Amino acid sequence: MATLGDIGVSALVNILSAFVFLLAFAILRLQPFNDRVYFPKWYLKGVRCSPSRSGAFVSKFVNLDFRSYVRFLNWIPEALKMPETELIDHAGLDSAVYLRIYLLGLKIFVPITFLTFAVLVPVNWTNRTLETSKDYFSDIDKLSISNIPVKSPRLWAHLVMAYACTFWACYVLLREYEIIATMRLHFLASEHRRPDQFTVLVRNVPPDPDESVNELVEHFFLVNHPDHYLTHQVVYNANKLAKLVKERKSMQNWLDYNQLKYNRNPSQRPTRKTGFLGLSGEKVDAIDYYTSEIDRLTKEEALERERIKNDPKAIMPAAFVSFKTRWGAAVCAQTQQTRNPTLWLTEWAPEPRDVYWHNLAIPFVSLAIRRLVVAVAFFFLTFFFMLPIAIVQSFANIEGIEKAVPFLRPVIEKKFIKSLIQGVLPGIALKIFLIFLPMILMLMSKIEGFTAISVLERKSAGKYYIFLLINVFLGSVITGAAFEQLNTFMKQSANEIPRIIGAAIPMKATFFITYIMVDGWAGIAGEILRLKPLIFYHLKNFFLVKNEKDREEAMDPGSLDFASNEPQTQLYFLLGLVYMVVTPILLPFIIVFFGLAFVVYRHQIINVYNQQYESGAAFWPDVHARIITALIIFQIILLGLLSTKESAQSAPVLIALPVLTIWFHRFCKSRYESAFVRYPLQEAMMKDTLERAKEPNLNLKAYLQSAYLHPVFKGGDDDSGYNAADEDFEQDNLLVPTKRQSRRNTPLPSKHSGSASPSSLPEVIQEHP
């Protein structure tokens, strides 16, 4: 049976852990040799080129200004100082809106905490229901609805608070949805020119025996979008080539490492084994080995590049089609192209850095099968994971541990050990179980075939949230409650079981409080310390860095891990909303999490993270929907609790609350969601008109020509042999004479991509020398 002492021990351990992490960060960030670890974003932006220290040699590595250590917490006001508009310019709208998730948590739960503590805590505490019962309970449970007797008129206080808290949460959600929808539209209107504003992704191009995909796409859009079509880039299946490029770069890194090692010690040539991971097989000279491997991979790259250029099967039935105006792209992306809705499917193209090129090579017809297989696999993953969750829950029950390992009873019964087991270990064990889950879910999303990194992260986040909801929340509450009350079930009649379950659900608040402290307090403090990037940077700096360029590549700024961070944040919303009326004592722990996370992630976004894409806050409808889901779960749980309390009058009144919440969600969806999935034609026309007035001589075709060329076909400083192929692949867009009779209906000449019908080809060549 957990006590307030157990919570106190857990709080002490986690507060000390968080304090140690924050103190270590505050000191490490001041050292010049860690500057690139804790401020990499400013190096990437070119604002910093070296640590801001001068003078003695030692001062280039260690900060000798002792006055700065007195101000070691000044990073907190510095993180809060940057205005939101400046933050959007600095880090993008995605980052700014992501921070508003934590701000939303504070807006919802701070007023609710004051309200519930003023009303419900006294109502719950001034009863003796649990003390006279035979159920297991803790001191925390005395502050919950479990301490209210059956048929008590005090239950009306919980009902009224359920309505008040729901209305407040909905009001805050409505205001936030409106604000962020406005921010998104303003961002899109004021954003600088980007290729995705003019481009759509076309999938499922139908096969034609007379024309290639390249020709077919050109002809289709010249006929159906004659005034707006500009150019296109077909999609190549370059996955094998990309793999070879990646492998060659890895070999080049190992060659550089061994060459540097040899330069430092010329008396001994480095060696390695030729077997698996260099751990077995014949021992050979490392420099010669990696040199020969690079030569082999370079030849394979050249052969694969030539194969892609000459093999029609290497071209996928998909293309990036660009238009002369944003208006033309918006019309194409948001309309059906043919009477057959399964062909010529168009959608907004991701921005070039957001494209997940590997999935563009997946045949469209296989996507439905892939998603069905992943759905089945996710179902089994979710429900079979309940077994380890149930084992974790057993750690929260001292009696269960003593029965399993009776020889440990003398140790376990010691007060501090007992408090540590019940207050800390369950949360740590659950956290360990969840470490590898995001990688598995991301792999599932990739198998499903989504073509944008932002979409992959959103889909993976959706799976993670469902997993947390079913396993961590429902699994911990229902399964854990059943295990804890098993002996009681055996001794009670069947009619008493619903009452026992109803009393047991709020009793899991103790476990969730410890989980919040482990994951939400110490976990967030550990995030700002960046221990793993710190270690890896110094290892790379010592072994691999030869010049300033190598030192820049050794930096690992990372990015917001939306796929795992956002679902975990949603779990705290769920816990706060479910327990705000059931066990209000949990709310202060939630508030500490949201406050600490807001400050930490604001610092990271300003100084560290370098976002790999910009979706314009397209994820916000998902955030809103999950909070609404948490509200409905809270209302259903409270309805069940009131029914076990035999509150015949108050329970039916609560039935209207889920209905009103669903109506509210439908209203928000119809009012604001279109701003996140559509691009208003009025906004597109205004932006096009303004751009034409400012830049009448803009060569848009040159700007878009190679924007969506696969990265392995683009040149690079360290990609030997790449530049020679770029021109060949870009020239593939030039249309060859067609064999189809339907070409007679195609407008001519084509001024959009340098292509034309055979009869007008000379004139077009003259027009576009």
Side-chain angles (χ1 to χ4, degrees):
M1 180 172 65
T3 64
L4 281 173
D6 300 335
I7 299 297
V9 171
S10 177
L12 179 62
V13 170
N14 287 287
I15 289 173
L16 285 176
S17 300
F19 178 77
V20 168
F21 289 151
L22 293 173
L23 181 62
F25 161 73
I27 295 174
L28 289 173
R29 67 185 286 272
L30 295 174
Q31 311 311 315
F33 67 97
N34 291 329
D35 209 51
R36 292 179 182 271
V37 177
Y38 294 112
F39 301 96
K41 190 159 192 170
W42 299 106
Y43 284 88
L44 294 175
K45 284 180 169 287
V47 176
R48 293 193 187 192
C49 58
S50 62
S52 54
R53 295 280 181 263
S54 60
F57 177 77
V58 177
S59 65
K60 295 181 179 180
F61 298 93
V62 180
N63 185 358
L64 300 179
D65 182 7
F66 295 103
R67 291 174 298 177
S68 63
Y69 292 96
V70 178
R71 305 186 300 271
F72 69 95
L73 289 178
N74 67 349
W75 66 270
I76 297 177
E78 289 294 328
L80 300 174
K81 186 184 297 184
M82 183 179 288
E84 188 172 58
T85 53
E86 187 178 337
L87 182 66
I88 293 173
D89 293 335
H90 176 70
L93 185 65
D94 279 344
S95 298
V97 172
Y98 178 82
L99 287 174
R100 293 190 71 96
I101 299 176
Y102 299 105
L103 199 58
L104 177 67
L106 294 174
K107 290 178 181 178
I108 290 176
F109 290 117
V110 170
I112 286 177
T113 300
F114 283 107
L115 188 60
T116 54
F117 267 62
V119 177
L120 294 183
V121 169
V123 170
N124 294 337
W125 182 258
T126 55
N127 288 279
R128 297 177 57 83
T129 303
L130 290 176
E131 294 178 6
T132 58
S133 71
K134 297 180 181 179
D135 299 327
Y136 290 120
F137 69 93
S138 69
D139 296 332
I140 296 292
D141 299 322
K142 293 180 182 180
L143 299 171
S144 74
I145 196 173
S146 299
N147 205 29
I148 302 294
V150 174
K151 297 182 180 180
S152 172
R154 295 190 178 201
L155 292 170
W156 281 98
H158 298 81
L159 183 66
V160 172
M161 290 303 298
Y163 270 88
C165 294
T166 298
F167 287 163
W168 171 252
C170 289
Y171 170 75
V172 175
L173 283 171
L174 179 66
R175 291 286 302 139
E176 200 69 17
Y177 215 150
E178 182 180 8
I179 290 170
I180 292 173
T182 304
M183 288 173 62
R184 173 179 166 84
L185 292 174
H186 177 73
F187 177 78
L188 294 176
S190 60
E191 193 180 21
H192 296 299
R193 185 189 311 111
R194 292 195 330 193
D196 54 292
Q197 297 170 345
F198 301 88
T199 308
V200 300
L201 174 60
V202 182
R203 306 287 296 273
N204 212 23
V205 176
D208 190 291
D210 297 324
E211 291 190 324
S212 66
V213 173
N214 198 30
E215 297 169 317
L216 199 57
V217 171
E218 176 90 9
H219 297 164
F220 180 86
F221 285 94
L222 280 173
V223 170
N224 296 286
H225 298 267
D227 297 327
H228 300 282
Y229 169 75
L230 180 62
T231 186
H232 75 278
Q233 175 62 61
V234 293
V235 174
Y236 295 94
N237 184 353
N239 291 344
K240 182 179 178 181
L241 179 60
K243 184 178 179 181
L244 291 171
V245 170
K246 183 178 179 181
E247 188 177 353
R248 184 181 61 80
K249 287 183 177 180
S250 176
M251 292 295 175
Q252 185 65 52
N253 289 336
W254 279 111
L255 177 62
D256 292 343
Y257 166 73
N258 283 279
Q259 189 68 54
L260 186 62
K261 186 177 178 181
Y262 175 67
N263 292 339
R264 290 175 176 173
N265 185 15
S267 62
Q268 185 176 1
R269 295 273 293 186
T271 61
R272 64 151 285 159
K273 293 183 178 180
T274 58
F276 179 71
L277 295 178
L279 301 176
S280 62
E282 180 186 357
K283 184 178 288 189
V284 297
D285 184 276
I287 295 177
D288 293 341
Y289 173 80
Y290 288 116
T291 302
S292 63
E293 286 295 298
I294 291 172
D295 291 340
R296 176 183 63 82
L297 291 169
T298 301
K299 293 176 182 178
E300 290 185 19
E301 276 184 47
L303 292 173
E304 179 64 14
R305 194 181 298 276
E306 191 66 24
R307 184 195 69 79
I308 293 174
K309 190 170 65 171
N310 297 322
D311 185 4
K313 294 182 179 179
I315 299 178
M316 303 303 298
F320 291 99
V321 180
S322 298
F323 295 82
K324 293 190 291 184
T325 63
R326 295 172 182 83
W327 188 93
V331 170
C332 182
Q334 298 167 179
T335 54
Q336 182 174 314
Q337 301 303 307
T338 67
R339 65 178 63 183
N340 185 344
T342 64
L343 300 177
W344 294 100
L345 302 178
T346 56
E347 60 186 83
W348 279 109
E351 63 167 316
R353 59 180 179 163
D354 190 21
V355 177
Y356 186 66
W357 295 95
H358 183 84
N359 280 358
L360 285 172
I362 297 174
F364 185 82
V365 292
S366 70
L367 293 180
I369 299 175
R370 283 169 166 263
R371 289 169 188 175
L372 176 62
V373 171
V374 168
V376 173
F378 177 67
F379 173 84
F380 283 103
L381 173 68
T382 301
F383 286 94
F384 278 100
F385 208 84
M386 281 190 176
L387 180 60
I389 293 291
I391 295 173
V392 168
Q393 290 306 307
S394 68
F395 283 103
N397 187 353
I398 290 293
E399 292 79 7
I401 298 176
E402 291 178 348
K403 288 180 182 179
V405 281
F407 61 88
L408 291 179
R409 179 174 296 176
V411 178
I412 293 174
E413 286 297 331
K414 291 182 179 180
K415 186 174 181 180
F416 178 78
I417 300 297
K418 186 175 182 180
S419 298
L420 187 67
I421 290 174
Q422 290 190 313
V424 178
L425 288 186
I428 293 177
L430 184 58
K431 181 70 175 174
I432 291 173
F433 272 120
L434 297 176
I435 286 178
F436 299 103
L437 184 63
M439 293 184 286
I440 298 172
L441 298 179
M442 178 58 77
L443 178 61
M444 286 184 169
S445 297
K446 290 178 178 178
I447 293 173
E448 286 182 286
F450 299 106
T451 57
I453 298 173
S454 57
V455 177
L456 286 173
E457 293 204 341
R458 294 205 298 272
K459 296 297 181 181
S460 182
K463 294 182 183 69
Y464 197 13
Y465 176 71
I466 294 172
F467 184 93
L468 292 175
L469 174 62
I470 293 175
N471 280 290
V472 178
F473 179 71
L474 295 179
S476 297
V477 169
I478 300 173
T479 310
F483 286 162
E484 287 184 5
Q485 303 297 337
L486 184 58
N487 290 333
T488 311
F489 287 165
M490 301 294 291
K491 298 175 183 178
Q492 297 287 345
S493 66
N495 294 333
E496 292 295 310
I497 292 177
R499 183 191 66 80
I500 296 169
I501 292 178
I505 288 175
M507 290 183 183
K508 293 308 298 179
T510 302
F511 167 76
F512 285 121
I513 287 174
T514 63
Y515 178 77
I516 291 168
M517 288 187 289
V518 170
D519 183 70
W521 295 9
I524 292 296
E527 160 68 27
I528 200 171
L529 182 59
R530 306 197 75 227
L531 189 59
K532 180 181 174 182
L534 178 68
I535 294 172
F536 274 81
Y537 170 75
H538 287 299
L539 287 175
K540 291 177 181 177
N541 198 30
F542 181 78
F543 290 109
L544 297 177
V545 169
K546 304 185 294 295
N547 50 47
E548 199 63 28
K549 183 176 182 297
D550 293 338
R551 188 170 287 106
E552 183 174 318
E553 291 178 352
M555 291 191 305
D556 180 21
S559 60
L560 280 173
D561 189 3
F562 183 84
S564 61
N565 289 343
E566 192 270 343
Q568 289 176 327
T569 304
Q570 289 295 334
L571 177 62
Y572 298 122
F573 274 104
L574 176 65
L575 295 176
L577 293 171
V578 165
Y579 282 97
M580 63 185 176
V581 173
V582 175
T583 311
I585 193 66
L586 182 138
L587 292 179
F589 298 90
I590 293 284
I591 290 174
V592 171
F593 161 75
F594 280 115
L596 181 61
F598 177 74
V599 175
V600 166
Y601 279 110
R602 211 172 200 275
H603 173 275
Q604 300 296 78
I605 284 171
I606 292 173
N607 298 300
V608 180
Y609 293 147
N610 184 40
Q611 283 305 100
Q612 54 184 328
Y613 63 81
E614 176 60 62
S615 70
F619 56 80
W620 190 259
D622 296 333
V623 174
H624 177 89
R626 287 167 196 152
I627 298 175
I628 293 292
T629 302
L631 274 173
I632 295 173
I633 291 172
F634 147 68
Q635 294 154 5
I636 293 173
I637 288 178
L638 185 59
L639 187 62
L641 280 170
L642 291 178
S643 65
T644 62
K645 294 291 184 179
E646 300 179 19
S647 180
Q649 294 179 335
S650 59
V653 178
L654 192 62
I655 295 176
L657 200 52
V659 177
L660 291 174
T661 305
I662 293 172
W663 174 87
F664 168 77
H665 175 59
R666 291 178 63 88
F667 168 78
C668 291
K669 187 179 179 71
S670 62
R671 175 65 182 84
Y672 298 113
E673 188 172 324
S674 62
F676 295 85
V677 295
R678 300 275 192 271
Y679 188 36
L681 295 181
Q682 182 185 29
E683 297 287 336
M685 181 61 76
M686 290 174 58
K687 198 164 179 61
D688 287 333
T689 304
L690 185 62
E691 186 173 73
R692 282 195 297 269
K694 287 184 175 181
E695 302 178 72
N697 298 320
L698 172 66
N699 187 351
L700 190 59
K701 182 185 172 184
Y703 173 72
L704 297 171
Q705 186 72 46
S706 60
Y708 286 96
L709 189 66
H710 197 292
V712 296
F713 301 135
K714 293 184 178 180
D717 295 336
D718 56 350
D719 295 340
S720 59
Y722 282 23
N723 292 329
D726 295 346
E727 192 174 335
D728 293 335
F729 281 95
E730 291 182 20
Q731 289 301 322
D732 283 347
N733 271 339
L734 297 178
L735 189 62
V736 298
T738 181
K739 301 174 184 178
R740 295 182 60 205
Q741 296 300 314
S742 60
R743 182 67 172 114
R744 294 173 181 171
N745 297 324
T746 303
L748 53 100
S750 170
K751 299 180 182 180
H752 310 293
S753 66
S755 60
S757 60
S759 61
S760 60
L761 192 58
E763 290 82 3
V764 175
I765 292 176
Q766 289 178 356
E767 186 175 355
H768 298 281

